[in-house]
Amino acid sequence: MTKGGIPICIFDKDIGMFQIIYKKGKVISSFGVSWTTTTTTTTKAKVTTMKTSSSSTIKTTTTTCEYLFIEEVLFLHERGLLQVYYHYNNDSNNNDSINNDDNDNNSNNNNKNNNDNDDNKPLDTKELYNIMLHQLHIPIQVYLTYSYLRSQTFIVVRHTASRYNLIQDGSNNNSGGIGSTNGENENDHSCITIDDNNNSSSNDNDDCGNGKKKQRIKSDKIKMDLRYDTFHAPIPFVFGYDEEDDDGNDNTLSRITTTSATTTTTLPTTTSTNKQNLDLSTKIAFDVYQPNSQYRKSNPGLPNFYVCICNLAQPSPPFHVIKNLIRVCNDIPLKVAAIADGGTVIMFGLTDYGVPSLLE
């Protein structure tokens, strides 16, 4: 099985996302989110001395992988930019060259290879839609909206209630943004001292150096918080969508979360004063950015506009809901994607001011 130049991902049903195992080029650089997992293993070793004894060694392994949401996978797959597998065994073809004198073992190996080949077949579009609709319980309106915006080269990210505050904290912490490495200016000499003989020296242990170190630590923490927030983004909300699963559980705002992944980051806690705003913010489906080759997932900046989703054939959201949504957008424009029965997406812009008079 040759990889070629097409990225490859596998479906991780435990977290409901797709792990990228092979990536080449920058085709999917603005897609997905990185996630770090920590695995602890204990190994025992025998030590031979006058009296034989054993010792245990604890080894901690940290692995960072990139994951894609289902709407991203479908969009890339339909355009031939991504291959998707349930399992991917790069050494499956090498098993055919193994010789075994035992005929029974040969037959068992052939059956195993056939099963491996079946598992290694790439998933088609129908199977991906089945995963999205019946396993992850994501409304089709979510993908239609995502695909419509992405096809116009917009950068689209799932919205979360905490994302705005995290981006703002990163901007306030460092003028260079969340992704800045040190926040220094080339003309900044505040950490350099000059004596009477015009000899300059640098103080590594002064308050300025400690302040910049603390600033970098805080910036790194904000980046980890943003990554954590994006990874755990809920299913985008759709007005009027009330599909329930077989157990009668509402899947509108739920998503499978990981139990094996661990993180040291913590998000801001929700207080009673902003609970109403957070509840309204969950009605926003996507953060949308203008096409930008300099876009970085670690330093995205504020979005150009937000998007809500509803069905064109159903009643629109109440006026007071729309008004409150505009209020919680913090001056970021809000648009509504209305999905027709045939899959057509119609975008409407929302404002909180009236239509100007033609007579003025």
Side-chain angles (χ1 to χ4, degrees):
M1 183 181 301
T2 58
K3 294 180 180 179
I6 300 179
I8 298 174
C9 68
I10 57 176
F11 179 53
D12 190 338
K13 63 180 180 180
D14 292 333
I15 61 175
M17 298 180 69
F18 296 78
Q19 179 185 346
I20 300 175
I21 60 175
Y22 173 74
K23 183 175 69 171
K24 184 177 181 180
K26 298 182 179 181
V27 177
I28 60 175
S29 60
S30 63
F31 293 79
V33 58
S34 300
W35 184 244
T36 302
T37 58
T38 303
T39 305
T40 302
T41 58
T42 303
T43 58
K44 293 184 177 181
K46 290 185 177 180
V47 179
T48 304
T49 58
M50 296 295 296
K51 184 178 180 181
T52 304
S53 62
S54 60
S55 61
S56 300
T57 302
I58 299 176
K59 182 179 180 182
T60 301
T61 304
T62 301
T63 305
T64 300
C65 302
E66 291 189 67
Y67 289 88
L68 296 171
F69 291 106
I70 180 62
E71 62 268 19
E72 298 174 316
V73 170
L74 259 176
F75 179 82
L76 294 169
H77 181 268
E78 288 185 338
R79 286 152 182 79
L81 301 175
L82 183 70
Q83 288 185 346
V84 189
Y85 297 85
Y86 270 120
H87 306 284
Y88 183 79
N89 183 8
N90 195 32
D91 297 330
S92 60
N93 291 334
N94 295 333
N95 293 333
D96 296 335
S97 61
I98 298 177
N99 296 324
N100 196 323
D101 295 334
D102 191 348
N103 293 330
D104 294 337
N105 291 336
N106 282 333
S107 61
N108 293 333
N109 289 334
N110 290 332
N111 293 332
K112 182 178 180 180
N113 290 334
N114 291 332
N115 293 332
D116 290 340
N117 291 332
D118 292 338
D119 291 338
N120 285 336
K121 289 182 179 179
L123 300 180
D124 55 23
T125 304
K126 181 179 179 181
E127 291 172 313
L128 290 176
Y129 271 101
N130 180 70
I131 292 175
M132 180 181 70
L133 298 175
H134 302 296
Q135 295 189 36
L136 303 180
H137 303 282
I138 296 180
I140 185 64
Q141 295 90 337
V142 171
Y143 173 66
L144 292 176
T145 303
Y146 180 89
S147 178
Y148 173 81
L149 293 168
R150 269 292 186 176
S151 63
Q152 299 188 42
T153 67
F154 287 108
I155 299 172
V156 187
V157 183
R158 284 192 182 187
H159 179 78
T160 65
S162 304
R163 184 177 177 86
Y164 178 87
N165 291 331
L166 290 173
I167 295 175
Q168 283 289 78
D169 291 343
S171 300
N172 295 334
N173 177 66
N174 196 326
S175 60
I178 298 175
S180 179
T181 56
N182 51 22
E184 295 182 354
N185 190 301
E186 291 179 356
N187 297 323
D188 184 10
H189 301 286
S190 58
C191 293
I192 298 178
T193 59
I194 302 177
D195 57 18
D196 296 335
N197 297 325
N198 292 329
N199 295 323
S200 61
S201 61
S202 176
N203 297 327
D204 296 333
N205 298 324
D206 58 5
D207 294 337
C208 182
N210 293 334
K212 288 189 175 182
K213 182 178 180 180
K214 292 179 180 179
Q215 191 178 34
R216 287 195 296 268
I217 294 175
K218 185 177 181 181
S219 178
D220 292 340
K221 183 181 183 301
I222 294 175
K223 287 194 292 184
M224 291 300 298
D225 288 345
L226 183 62
R227 181 185 298 180
Y228 178 91
D229 185 67
T230 304
F231 183 83
H232 291 89
I235 294 175
F237 182 85
V238 178
F239 284 96
Y241 179 78
D242 57 354
E243 180 178 343
E244 296 182 350
D245 60 14
D246 297 336
D247 298 328
N249 299 319
D250 187 7
N251 291 283
T252 305
L253 292 175
S254 63
R255 184 175 76 83
I256 302 174
T257 56
T258 177
T259 57
S260 59
T262 59
T263 180
T264 58
T265 60
T266 57
L267 295 179
T269 57
T270 302
T271 61
S272 58
T273 57
N274 62 3
K275 184 177 185 302
Q276 183 180 4
N277 290 343
L278 292 179
D279 291 341
L280 285 170
S281 183
T282 58
K283 304 297 189 294
I284 301 174
F286 292 116
D287 294 12
V288 184
Y289 297 83
Q290 294 285 353
N292 183 7
S293 60
Q294 303 299 322
Y295 173 83
R296 290 183 296 172
K297 289 179 286 187
S298 62
N299 182 21
L302 294 176
N304 294 99
F305 60 90
Y306 291 133
V307 172
C308 295
I309 306 174
C310 67
N311 292 312
L312 185 63
Q314 294 181 350
S316 61
F319 177 76
H320 72 277
V321 174
I322 295 178
K323 186 176 180 180
N324 290 331
L325 277 174
I326 295 175
R327 176 175 55 83
V328 300
C329 286
N330 298 299
D331 297 329
I332 295 177
L334 176 64
K335 298 179 183 294
V336 173
I339 314 300
D341 292 337
T344 303
V345 180
I346 305 174
M347 302 291 296
F348 296 94
L350 301 179
T351 60
D352 57 352
Y353 52 85
V355 178
S357 176
L358 296 177
L359 300 179
E360 294 182 358

